[in-house]
Amino acid sequence: MTLPSIHATTVLAVQKDGCIAMGGDGQVTMGDTVMKGRAQKVRSVKDGRILAGFAGSVADAFTLFEKLEEKLERFPANMPKAVVELAKDWRMDRYLRRLDALLAVADKDHLFLVSGTGDVIEPDDGILAIGSGGSYALAAARALKDSSDFDAKGVVQRALEISSEICIYTNSEIVVHELGVDEGETA
């Protein structure tokens, strides 16, 4: 399985101690030029019960966010079913198939990578990273998750900072959202 190579951003999600945090940097690039530094690449949906982040084309990501919200309306109590249905549509629909992005989607119980090739992947270790700086953020998060006192939000923040020091498509304008098990709200 080969996922598309997205050179645009870094989004990281971490599940730790009953919480899920997802964050992203703010850099928007066009080719080798930084166009914007404070874009919001992670958002909460479904009244703050689900987090979604994207890496890739901004216009394509907005289309995918809309499709995700449609699927979540159709399957309100079943986020895994909603993301599977999104992945199926994304792969099969002639228009959607051309969209150039990856999504990270999380609720209090699940964390998924969703791609246009039909992939819906739930990581074993509760850590998911996408985008050009994803591998750096993933490595840092794996090291920090079990060897530091950081909570999920702290792991995401620090790992994204590390990624921003390495990846030229990632900056240090980081926004992190968090879901807690009991409250189901973003922080």
Side-chain angles (χ1 to χ4, degrees), residues 13 16 19 37 39 48-49 69 104 111 118 124 169 186:
K16 183 177 180 183
C19 291
R49 292 176 292 156
E69 288 177 333
L111 179 58
D124 292 331
Y169 296 104
T186 58

Side-chain angles (χ1 to χ4, degrees), residues 43-46 48-52 72 79 105-107 179 186:
R43 64 173 52 178
S44 62
V45 295
K46 290 299 286 177
R49 292 176 292 156
I50 294 175
L51 298 175
L72 291 168
M79 193 269 286
V105 183
D107 67 9
L179 294 177
T186 58

